[in-house]
Amino acid sequence: MPLALCLAVTVSPGRTGEQLHVCKESEYHYEYTACDSSGSRWRVAVPHTPGLCTGLPDPVRGTECSFSCKAGEFLEMQTQMCRPCAEGTYSLGTGVRFDEWDEVPHGFANVATNMEVDDSFGDVAENCTASTWVPLGDYVASNTDECMATLMYAVSLKQSGTVTFEYIYPDSSIVFEFFVQNDQCQPTVEESRWMRTTEKGWEFHSVELSRGNNVLYWRTTAFSVWSKVPKPVLVRNIGITGVAFTSECFPCKPGTFAPAAGSAACQPCPADTFSGKGATACQPCDPETYAEPGSGSCKPRPPCTDKDFFYTHTACDADGETQLMYKWAEPKICSEELPQAAQLPPSGIKTRCPPCNPGFAKGNGSTCQPCPYGSYSNGSACLSCPEGTEPALGLEYKWWNVLPPNMETTVLSGINFEYKGIAGWEVAGDYIYTAAGASDSDFMILTLVVPGFSPPSPVLEDTESREVARITFVFETLCSVGCELYFMVGVNSRTNTPVETWTGSTGKQSYTYLVEKNATMSFTWAFQRTPYHEAGRRFTSDVAKLYSINVTNVQGGVASFCRRCAPQPTGSCAPCSPGSAVDPSSGTCQPCPSGTYLRSHPSDGTPTCHPCGPGTCSNQAIVVPPDITGARAAVSSQPISLGDYLLGVTTSSVLDNIVSPPELFPPGHPDLPDIIFFFRSNDMTQPCSGGRATTIRLRCDPLHLGTGTLAVPRWGGDTGDPEGGFTWPRHLLLSGLGTSLGCFALETPLSQCQCPSLLGVILAVPSKCPEGTCDGCTFHFLWVTAEGCPRCSSFHHRPIVGACIGGVQKTTYVWREPRLCHGGDALPPQVIQACRSMDFWLKVGISTGTCVAVLLAALAAYFWKKTQKLEYKYSKLVMDAVARESDATSPDSCAIMEGEDAEDELLFATEMSLFGKFKALTAKFPHHRMAPGLNFPTPQRMPDGFDSVPLKTSSSSTKQEL
């Protein structure tokens, strides 16, 4: 596509009509036109002064719009090629850098707004016009009030790039955010918006930028904390890549230099040197002058004073002595050669070194070494903790001859917040104190790092007190101005958070901080003499002193004393004596109670008392010799352990996941099950990852007696264990084992239980597994012995009683069949006793029966006669009652004399029922009455001996029921 270029020539007044000369190279420069839609552009010549000359070079096609040079190079427009920067200059290639902040650079916007709304009813909102970012030479500082200050820069990128800058953000009282927006005011990098506070001076931050328009924002807002002014945020060395090409290199600023061509950055001059703009090297200062790092000029040295040196103590020498000496404060900027300059005092005399700190002791040399784990020390010698106690691990520093290895000290500049690499605290024997810094506004930093904590008992998250450890220190500050001592805590190498601040002079006091999180912690003490920056040292006599530091429950620490073991110890206590274990309730060593034993295999963790297995009991006596002697004992040079300890004795076929299948052996007696001994070995091989196990079935057989040897068929020869890598002996002969069953095939003597005595046994292996094992890991044996039978008692025999012959009877005792006992009680002897025959007892029975029959007959006759008499009396009364009803007059009563014949025959008008007879029988006794339904009078005995019965005259009283 043809390109039409319109050149407008402006003719200067006074030069009209003059002939313009041809432009020289020094009178014009080249520029690129804007990129078109295809990404192309043209290079054109543009005069420095329009209308001064003519005959400019024709336009030529330029490089692609995405073309750029590397860092340290620039684009030469004449040839359109990249060239390296000359010495003393630098370039970013496709970027720009802002490292000089004498004023806000061109292109930046610096604004401040008030976050509070003026409601026109209260106080007028604060004026934030002056609360902007302030350029301070090498960096720009944020505001420190509650206004919102924003530093903005807009840039158009031809390709994707980055923005980088260095910053110091020491105070969390200021909210610092950095973000990027596109041309639609939409944030592009949200995750890096909020900046993190810094700990060690300047930190580097980088954010990716997209192609096109990007607006960069640095924004701060302060909040009042503790009614003090927060420290500002500092930003420097802002660099942006991805912009259009750079056609020139930038000269190094004063105090920096670029020694070689093609530099991407300039280096700062070291201390006591200086440089001007565009320097290729730094020049040294004169002896009577000095310069701080990165200075553009030198300053005259002031005379030294007593503020320019400090005292310290040397490390202990081979003789155990230390010496007081003085050092010049770093950096040394004073001159001791000037008139009235102070001189460095001479060193003091040598004195004895202080003792080691608790938990330490002197080794072979003069240095203090930590005591090994399980011991404690007061600083003189390491002693082992008594049994049942554990070392109280921690860190305790109260002697300051040398700085402990887990502590470090440095100085942080109060101006640019850079670490200066010099010591800020010095040891002084009884305490450690702040030395003189480069200026009174410097921060003297002391840091103690603790890798973690090991509390004696686990700390639950839901408890009210979650104390994991605590740090206690004794300190003092001596100040003539407003000095400040900060105590800060950092977690997992993150930002230090101030937890306490002391201002001005304080007396000697103690402070304790509770640690509630088990993590790597850093404890930092920062002392600043004054927040105002002034040249020189005026307040070096203002110091902070630390006398002692004590941290508890430190992981990997040392101990100054031993404590009782915790109920649930997380560490290991000093081992108890054999047969004793730590009591969880008291934390002391207590002997294992009866029925338990001490189990101390490494896989079991802390040795504790475990209950004996079923059928076993505790016994501290060693009943099995460690080896077996005898003529036939040396049968193998590589013994194999089948069981290290006895698990238990039971009649069940399963114990602790060990199975003894009963079908492997012939069945025993149904009424007497086999007693099975379960053993386990700790020897592990590839096929037996859980160790070997052995089961021994003890079966009763009273016929197997004797004291012979014990033979165990081997699993060897051509049937050896191909995976275990061993061969068993043909016969494992065990002799002299009459004291305990536990000695069977055991490499380790058993002392946990007392087993029954065995005088002689016969061992059998399973018929299905003739080698004694079916899998090579679990071995099964059958012991058939009389010693395996229960001890004989009265349960195992029965009596046989003989017949009574001639008044004599014999009782004989015999064993129950089949006999399933051995030893114990013998059969009782035969019992002979007097007895009586059956004829005697038959006669006695007949005589007694006859007597009883006669007695019963007599009683029956008596009661019959008595009944007849009562019937007569009753019938006579009835007849008299009937007669009175027919007569007009009748006697009031009638009586029957005793002794009248009751056997006369009577003629009854009406026959009495059986019930009436019983009623009449009861009427004989005076205290009984007749039933109300019969209305018979009750007879009464008169004084003359007759029975009197009152009669009623009313005819209605007579009942016909009879």
Side-chain angles (χ1 to χ4, degrees):
M1 182 178 69
L3 176 64
L5 296 178
C6 297
L7 299 179
V9 178
T10 303
V11 181
S12 301
R15 298 182 65 97
T16 304
E18 293 184 7
Q19 185 69 29
L20 299 179
H21 65 277
V22 178
C23 294
K24 300 177 182 178
E25 290 185 3
S26 60
E27 296 177 337
Y28 64 90
H29 63 277
Y30 292 103
E31 291 183 1
Y32 281 123
T33 63
C35 295
D36 57 20
S37 59
S38 63
S40 300
R41 59 186 174 181
W42 292 81
R43 187 199 70 176
V44 298
V46 179
H48 298 319
T49 304
L52 181 62
C53 61
T54 186
L56 294 174
D58 295 333
V60 297
R61 183 175 293 275
T63 59
E64 297 293 331
C65 291
S66 60
F67 176 81
S68 62
C69 296
K70 297 185 299 182
E73 297 180 345
F74 70 100
L75 181 63
E76 187 184 50
M77 296 298 292
Q78 179 69 31
T79 60
Q80 299 191 75
M81 298 180 62
C82 294
R83 303 294 183 185
C85 292
E87 298 177 356
T89 62
Y90 74 97
S91 77
L92 299 179
T94 60
V96 293
R97 176 178 294 169
F98 303 96
D99 54 4
E100 295 186 37
W101 293 90
D102 295 326
E103 61 181 2
V104 177
H106 178 72
F108 280 86
N110 193 6
V111 296
T113 57
N114 198 321
M115 298 182 62
E116 298 181 0
V117 178
D118 186 3
D119 53 12
S120 302
F121 292 98
D123 297 335
V124 178
E126 181 182 357
N127 187 1
C128 295
T129 304
S131 300
T132 59
W133 289 76
V134 180
L136 297 175
D138 293 335
Y139 51 84
V140 59
S142 72
N143 65 321
T144 56
D145 53 22
E146 295 187 357
C147 296
M148 184 171 62
T150 305
L151 186 66
M152 297 180 293
Y153 184 78
V155 62
S156 179
L157 301 185
K158 302 300 181 183
Q159 58 184 3
S160 299
T162 58
V163 55
T164 60
F165 60 91
E166 298 178 47
Y167 73 100
I168 288 181
Y169 180 21
D171 199 334
S172 59
S173 300
I174 295 180
V175 178
F176 179 34
E177 56 180 329
F178 171 77
F179 59 96
V180 181
Q181 289 185 350
N182 55 21
D183 50 5
Q184 280 80 35
C185 296
Q186 297 175 345
T188 58
V189 188
E190 190 68 26
E191 64 273 8
S192 60
R193 181 184 186 100
W194 307 102
M195 306 300 294
R196 295 174 55 181
T197 55
T198 57
E199 296 183 7
K200 297 183 178 181
W202 294 94
E203 290 193 8
F204 183 82
H205 188 68
S206 176
V207 174
E208 298 290 334
L209 298 179
S210 302
R211 180 180 177 181
N213 295 326
N214 293 268
V215 183
L216 315 179
Y217 292 86
W218 292 265
R219 179 176 294 169
T220 57
T221 304
F223 296 93
S224 298
V225 178
W226 298 334
S227 299
K228 58 176 293 185
V229 177
K231 298 178 178 60
V233 176
L234 307 182
V235 177
R236 71 178 184 183
N237 293 337
I238 300 176
I240 304 173
T241 62
V243 299
F245 65 94
T246 176
S247 58
E248 60 179 343
C249 297
F250 303 97
C252 295
K253 67 178 183 178
T256 62
F257 68 102
S263 298
C266 298
Q267 305 176 21
C269 290
D272 294 333
T273 62
F274 71 100
S275 69
K277 189 173 184 178
T280 60
C282 298
Q283 303 300 321
C285 295
D286 295 333
E288 63 274 6
T289 61
Y290 75 98
E292 295 180 355
S295 298
S297 61
C298 297
K299 301 177 182 179
R301 293 182 180 271
C304 293
T305 65
D306 57 357
K307 310 293 185 183
D308 295 317
F309 58 82
F310 61 92
Y311 63 92
T312 185
H313 284 74
T314 62
C316 294
D317 56 18
D319 298 329
E321 295 181 337
T322 182
Q323 186 179 21
L324 176 69
M325 64 179 302
Y326 296 88
K327 292 182 179 181
W328 292 110
E330 296 293 339
K332 182 185 177 184
I333 61 175
C334 66
S335 174
E336 52 187 316
E337 298 177 357
L338 296 176
Q340 299 181 353
Q343 302 296 318
L344 194 66
S347 301
I349 61 175
K350 290 188 175 183
T351 58
R352 296 295 301 174
C353 287
C356 296
N357 281 308
F360 292 81
K362 292 184 178 180
N364 297 330
S366 59
T367 58
C368 296
Q369 301 294 332
C371 291
Y373 184 76
S375 61
Y376 69 100
S377 169
N378 60 358
S380 56
C382 298
L383 303 175
S384 299
C385 288
E387 66 175 33
T389 64
E390 61 180 353
L393 299 180
L395 293 174
E396 184 177 359
Y397 301 125
K398 62 180 182 179
W399 301 109
W400 303 95
N401 185 249
V402 293
L403 192 68
N406 59 337
M407 299 184 72
E408 60 180 11
T409 177
T410 185
V411 176
L412 177 66
S413 173
I415 305 301
N416 56 12
F417 296 94
E418 289 184 339
Y419 286 92
K420 298 185 176 181
I422 58 178
W425 294 67
E426 288 291 338
V427 295
D430 295 337
Y431 57 87
I432 183 173
Y433 75 105
T434 54
S439 67
D440 292 334
S441 62
D442 290 345
F443 291 91
M444 320 307 290
I445 306 297
L446 178 67
T447 302
L448 168 65
V449 179
V450 177
F453 302 94
S454 56
S457 59
V459 178
L460 302 179
E461 293 292 336
D462 55 351
T463 57
E464 181 177 355
S465 177
R466 294 180 297 177
E467 178 182 345
V468 176
R470 62 174 56 193
I471 177 172
T472 303
F473 57 90
V474 179
F475 71 99
E476 180 184 17
T477 58
L478 303 173
C479 303
S480 59
V481 292
C483 65
E484 290 182 324
L485 176 64
Y486 302 88
F487 176 64
M488 299 175 288
V489 177
V491 180
N492 291 330
S493 301
R494 295 183 178 177
T495 304
N496 284 329
T497 303
V499 296
E500 194 61 60
T501 303
W502 297 270
T503 303
S505 296
T506 61
K508 190 175 181 180
Q509 57 184 286
S510 174
Y511 178 79
T512 299
Y513 174 78
L514 300 183
V515 180
E516 296 183 350
K517 185 176 183 179
N518 195 348
T520 300
M521 306 288 289
S522 62
F523 305 99
T524 301
W525 295 263
F527 179 75
Q528 187 182 33
R529 293 178 170 86
T530 176
Y532 305 102
H533 175 65
E534 295 182 6
R537 306 181 179 98
R538 298 177 53 191
F539 307 107
T540 55
S541 59
D542 295 358
V543 296
K545 297 181 180 180
L546 283 176
Y547 292 93
S548 64
I549 301 175
N550 187 7
V551 188
T552 63
N553 302 334
V554 176
Q555 182 178 352
V558 293
S560 59
F561 65 96
C562 297
R563 63 191 173 198
R564 286 187 175 182
C565 296
Q568 298 295 333
T570 56
S572 59
C573 297
C576 299
S577 58
S580 299
V582 177
D583 183 12
S585 59
S586 63
T588 59
C589 287
Q590 299 293 336
C592 288
S594 178
T596 64
Y597 71 100
L598 189 65
R599 193 170 181 178
S600 59
H601 189 265
S603 61
D604 299 328
T606 304
T608 56
C609 297
H610 289 257
C612 291
T616 63
C617 58
S618 59
N619 179 19
Q620 296 299 327
I622 297 179
V623 297
V624 182
D627 54 2
I628 301 171
T629 59
R632 304 178 62 186
V635 296
S636 175
S637 60
Q638 296 181 352
I640 301 303
S641 174
L642 298 184
D644 291 327
Y645 54 91
L646 177 66
L647 292 177
V649 183
T650 178
T651 58
S652 175
S653 298
V654 181
L655 180 64
D656 197 20
N657 296 326
I658 301 177
V659 181
S660 176
E663 62 271 11
L664 295 179
F665 301 98
H669 196 278
D671 296 334
L672 187 63
D674 296 338
I675 300 175
I676 308 174
F677 291 74
F678 291 86
F679 297 87
R680 188 180 293 279
S681 172
N682 295 320
D683 290 346
M684 291 183 292
T685 60
Q686 183 175 0
C688 306
S689 59
R692 297 187 182 91
T694 301
T695 66
I696 304 176
R697 286 180 171 267
L698 183 62
R699 180 170 296 177
C700 169
D701 189 351
L703 300 180
H704 287 87
L705 304 176
T707 59
T709 59
L710 178 65
V712 183
R714 78 181 183 109
W715 187 28
D718 54 357
T719 61
D721 183 2
E723 298 181 6
F726 58 85
T727 302
W728 286 43
R730 172 63 63 180
H731 290 87
L732 178 61
L733 302 179
L734 306 180
S735 60
L737 303 182
T739 57
S740 172
L741 178 63
C743 56
F744 167 73
L746 298 180
E747 290 291 317
T748 303
L750 292 178
S751 61
Q752 288 85 355
C753 57
Q754 177 70 46
C755 301
S757 175
L758 299 180
L759 299 179
V761 296
I762 294 180
L763 180 69
V765 296
S767 58
K768 297 182 179 180
C769 305
E771 306 298 341
T773 178
C774 299
D775 56 3
C777 296
T778 304
F779 298 83
H780 307 281
F781 300 96
L782 175 65
W783 285 38
V784 181
T785 172
E787 294 294 333
C789 300
R791 301 305 179 190
C792 294
S793 64
S794 59
F795 174 77
H796 297 93
H797 57 74
R798 59 184 179 86
I800 299 178
V801 181
C804 185
I805 301 176
V808 177
Q809 187 179 37
K810 297 181 180 180
T811 302
T812 305
Y813 294 90
V814 296
W815 297 110
R816 297 179 185 272
E817 294 296 336
R819 179 182 175 184
L820 298 176
C821 67
H822 174 73
D825 298 336
L827 286 175
Q830 187 180 53
V831 178
I832 301 176
Q833 58 186 359
C835 64
R836 297 182 182 273
S837 63
M838 290 296 297
D839 296 340
F840 171 80
W841 292 112
L842 182 60
K843 294 177 181 179
V844 172
I846 294 175
S847 301
T848 302
T850 303
C851 295
V852 171
V854 171
L855 178 61
L856 292 176
L859 290 175
Y862 170 78
F863 283 110
W864 178 82
K865 183 177 180 180
K866 193 71 173 178
T867 301
Q868 291 296 321
K869 184 182 293 185
L870 291 176
E871 289 180 352
Y872 167 76
K873 293 180 179 181
Y874 176 74
S875 62
K876 198 164 180 78
L877 288 175
V878 172
M879 293 175 62
D880 292 340
V882 172
R884 281 194 299 269
E885 291 180 358
S886 60
D887 296 339
T889 59
S890 62
D892 294 334
S893 63
C894 61
I896 301 177
M897 293 296 294
E898 289 187 358
E900 290 183 346
D901 191 4
E903 298 178 358
D904 295 341
E905 295 183 357
L906 297 177
L907 184 63
F908 297 96
T910 304
E911 185 179 359
M912 294 181 62
S913 65
L914 180 63
F915 180 75
K917 293 179 181 182
F918 277 108
K919 287 293 184 179
L921 179 65
T922 57
K924 181 178 183 302
F925 303 100
H927 60 277
H928 288 162
R929 290 187 173 273
M930 295 301 293
L934 300 178
N935 290 326
F936 289 132
T938 303
Q940 296 181 359
R941 179 63 55 92
M942 301 302 292
D944 56 0
F946 293 94
D947 291 335
S948 176
V949 180
L951 301 176
K952 294 183 179 181
T953 59
S954 176
S955 61
S956 61
S957 62
T958 305
K959 302 294 181 180
Q960 298 299 325
E961 295 178 358
L962 298 175

